[in-house]
Amino acid sequence: MFRHAAFALLFAFGCVIHLSRGAEVNVTDKDGKLCLYANVMLNFSVSYETSENKTMLAYFDLPSDVMFNGSKCDNTTSILKLNFGAGHSWSMNFTLNGSTYQADSITFSYNLNDSTIFPNSSLTDTLSVNVRPHITDVSTDTSYSCKSKETFQSDSVIQTLWNVLIQAFISNGTQSKNLTSCSADLPSTPTASPTTVAPVTNTTTASTPAPTTPAPTLPTPTTGKFTIKPDVNSTACLLANFALRIGVQHGEKYQEINLDPNVTTVSGSCGVNTSELVLVSNGMTIALTFTNDTKKFHLQAVNVTANLSSGLVVSEANNSLSLWEASVGSSYMCNKEQNFTITSLLNLFTFNLQVQPFAVNKGVFSTAHECSLDDTSILIPIIVGAALAGLILIVVIAYVIGRRKTYVGYQTL
Ligand SMILES: *[C@@H]1O[C@H](CO)[C@@H](O)[C@H](O)[C@H]1NC(C)=O
Ligand SMILES: *[C@@H]1O[C@H](CO)[C@@H](O)[C@H](O)[C@H]1NC(C)=O
Ligand SMILES: *[C@@H]1O[C@H](CO)[C@@H](O)[C@H](O)[C@H]1NC(C)=O
Ligand SMILES: *[C@@H]1O[C@H](CO)[C@@H](O)[C@H](O)[C@H]1NC(C)=O
Ligand SMILES: *[C@@H]1O[C@H](CO)[C@@H](O)[C@H](O)[C@H]1NC(C)=O
Ligand SMILES: *[C@@H]1O[C@H](CO)[C@@H](O)[C@H](O)[C@H]1NC(C)=O
Ligand SMILES: *[C@@H]1O[C@H](CO)[C@@H](O)[C@H](O)[C@H]1NC(C)=O
Ligand SMILES: *[C@@H]1O[C@H](CO)[C@@H](O)[C@H](O)[C@H]1NC(C)=O
Ligand SMILES: *[C@@H]1O[C@H](CO)[C@@H](O)[C@H](O)[C@H]1NC(C)=O
Ligand SMILES: *[C@@H]1O[C@H](CO)[C@@H](O)[C@H](O)[C@H]1NC(C)=O
């Protein structure tokens, strides 16, 4: 009974149509008339913490098969709510104000318990972010149309929205063919506000996917050996070997740059409580600050200033990091490629990493604390050993049971 009701309700709210990757929904009111139409393309980049205290980035698209329970239309407010995957949702709230309507907020909720998207997440909560879209002054009885990409950034989430066609208030049950285009879609003539453009013959073809230019893949960066000496005649007090790449998000563009150790000048300082390594290379300055908290050290701060190919200079810093941790008197080592989210706009990739910012003895690395990525090589013999032990146990139990069975067998004969 309940199931039938739910089915009927779903049916009443319309059905989902697959259309070149965009998610298209037709929301109907209680009388079964179309009251909200939306067709959007959307993708997400979410950074999250893993159980090994690493930050990972998850990329995913809004699938075309979405559910939209929770979507509804009233006279002056309407809600578009898209539910997808294992407990994720994306919603947009609209209000009607006289002859125009606007979108007031976008709420994106993601379920970190979904291990297909967020493998090894340390949290299993559902988190939400709120952003304010720039969808205003849409004339009533027109659809808002925006083929251009729009990016919304919040602390740990970047949302990209494109090929959007939404009519949030539909009065006569049919979607309007008149469009209000976003300013990014209009020819570059400086028009102050979005204008209503002439009817379009078929709006459904608007959903051709935007061309994506894949970023050129860089070669693996060269490993450099960087040392700091307290003075010319002393041995090194800070040692760092690594290959390094940065990834910078600027607006919709993402650029990766390799550090070229051949053209890098090294400076820095060794202290009791903090040590610093500053690398200046072609158009890129990287400052790494290490902290000694009595028994252990870690990478506390990263400050990167980079000249991008577009001519822009970006500067991103985070001074509350807790990476590359090892005991004072040892070094931290990680040969595998690692990527670290320093800020929402800056990623750091390292290869063949070994650092010792404190207590360097005779200018050489002390014993290394290996990162968990490399630790798997040590784990494998342990796992194999445990499996063997298990096998032996099973054989012994089987033997004991077998003996008992035969004994019982003889008795019944
Ligand atoms: C999202 O899609 C846009 C447009 O196709 C693309 O430029 C961007 O790289 C995508 N972002 C992610 C995280 O996939
Ligand atoms: C992760 O960090 C927390 C505190 O920051 C610490 O208690 C925990 O032991 C760390 N876990 C691992 C696996 O390093
Ligand atoms: C579309 O716009 C034209 C001119 O502004 C108007 O005459 C027409 O009624 C509008 N159509 C709809 C469906 O709103
Ligand atoms: C859109 O219009 C073009 C011609 O104007 C037509 O060839 C095409 O089939 C139409 N597409 C849809 C989905 O109606
Ligand atoms: C380094 O050693 C040279 C020769 O041993 C000496 O002349 C110079 O003063 C020393 N410099 C420093 C900074 O100690
Ligand atoms: C760095 O210099 C060495 C020799 O000076 C050269 O063999 C190597 O190719 C250079 N690497 C890069 C990335 O330019
Ligand atoms: C690290 O810090 C502790 C306490 O501040 C200090 O005793 C120790 O000497 C420091 N270690 C180094 C190598 O500077
Ligand atoms: C290092 O930190 C300790 C404890 O926080 C403090 O007592 C000491 O003065 C600091 N040393 C330096 C050189 O800043
Ligand atoms: C990062 O470095 C630049 C110069 O290299 C400096 O102007 C800026 O203040 C630094 N940012 C932080 C947060 O330390
Ligand atoms: C960071 O590493 C993870 C796991 O190796 C990978 O899936 C992700 O694509 C990486 N991020 C970037 C920007 O390469």
Side-chain angles (χ1 to χ4, degrees), residues 4 13-14 21 27 50 71 98 101 132 180 224 253 302 319 358 366 412:
H4 282 185
F13 274 114
R21 295 202 300 128
V27 180
T50 65
S71 298
Y101 64 90
R132 218 186 145 75
T180 296
K253 293 201 180 72
V302 170
N319 56 16
F358 298 101
S366 309
T412 47

Side-chain angles (χ1 to χ4, degrees), residues 5-307:
F7 211 85
L9 202 68
L10 254 180
F11 199 76
F13 274 114
C15 58
V16 176
I17 299 164
H18 293 233
L19 195 84
S20 59
R21 295 202 300 128
E24 185 181 47
V25 297
N26 293 293
V27 180
T28 51
D29 62 16
K30 54 185 182 304
D31 306 325
K33 278 169 76 182
L34 183 68
C35 66
L36 188 155
Y37 170 86
N39 189 342
V40 297
M41 287 192 177
L42 183 58
N43 66 19
F44 307 93
S45 158
V46 179
S47 69
Y48 68 100
E49 293 280 316
T50 65
S51 40
E52 293 102 53
N53 285 352
K54 283 206 301 283
T55 303
M56 299 265 277
L57 278 178
Y59 300 103
F60 53 102
D61 290 293
L62 178 74
S64 50
D65 53 333
V66 296
M67 303 291 277
F68 53 99
N69 32 320
S71 298
K72 61 178 183 200
C73 324
D74 277 327
N75 288 341
T76 56
T77 58
S78 52
I79 299 171
L80 169 67
K81 185 157 186 275
L82 307 179
N83 309 295
F84 60 99
H88 314 292
S89 71
W90 185 86
S91 66
M92 218 168 183
N93 287 11
F94 301 89
T95 50
L96 180 65
N97 204 339
S99 61
T100 62
Y101 64 90
Q102 65 179 57
D104 300 311
S105 66
I106 290 177
T107 305
F108 169 52
S109 298
Y110 53 103
N111 178 10
L112 289 171
N113 207 10
D114 180 356
S115 58
T116 56
I117 292 181
F118 306 107
N120 304 322
S121 171
S122 60
L123 295 177
T124 53
D125 310 52
T126 297
L127 303 182
S128 289
V129 294
N130 258 297
V131 292
R132 218 186 145 75
H134 312 294
I135 302 177
T136 55
D137 293 322
V138 186
S139 311
T140 49
D141 287 319
T142 69
S143 297
Y144 170 81
S145 164
C146 199
K147 292 176 188 163
S148 306
K149 279 184 258 174
E150 192 173 9
T151 301
F152 302 103
Q153 268 178 21
S154 35
D155 279 347
S156 48
V157 178
I158 301 172
Q159 308 176 41
T160 306
L161 193 60
W162 74 103
N163 274 350
V164 175
L165 186 65
I166 295 177
Q167 188 174 359
F169 297 95
I170 300 177
S171 51
N172 54 4
T174 50
Q175 193 210 336
S176 172
K177 295 281 181 240
N178 287 356
L179 303 179
T180 296
S181 293
C182 62
S183 49
D185 278 3
L186 297 174
S188 53
T189 45
T191 39
S193 65
T195 51
T196 304
V197 295
V200 166
T201 46
N202 60 13
T203 48
T204 44
T205 51
S207 300
T208 45
T212 48
T213 42
T217 43
L218 290 175
T220 308
T222 315
T223 305
K225 295 186 179 198
F226 313 104
T227 55
I228 304 290
K229 292 176 175 182
D231 57 68
V232 282
N233 293 344
S234 306
T235 57
C237 61
L238 182 154
L239 299 171
N241 292 359
F242 52 71
L244 187 144
R245 169 186 298 161
I246 61 165
V248 182
Q249 185 78 38
H250 185 267
E252 281 144 22
K253 293 201 180 72
Y254 175 77
Q255 190 187 348
E256 294 192 339
I257 309 171
N258 282 348
L259 178 79
D260 182 357
N262 281 6
V263 293
T264 300
T265 56
V266 186
S267 61
S269 60
C270 301
V272 176
N273 295 339
T274 55
S275 290
E276 198 183 27
L277 176 67
V278 181
L279 305 173
V280 180
S281 165
N282 272 352
M284 167 151 80
T285 301
I286 298 169
L288 304 176
T289 308
F290 298 89
T291 300
N292 160 16
D293 37 71
T294 54
K295 290 213 172 69
K296 292 195 159 188
F297 71 82
H298 63 266
L299 177 64
Q300 171 81 37
V302 170
N303 183 351
V304 171
T305 305
N307 300 348

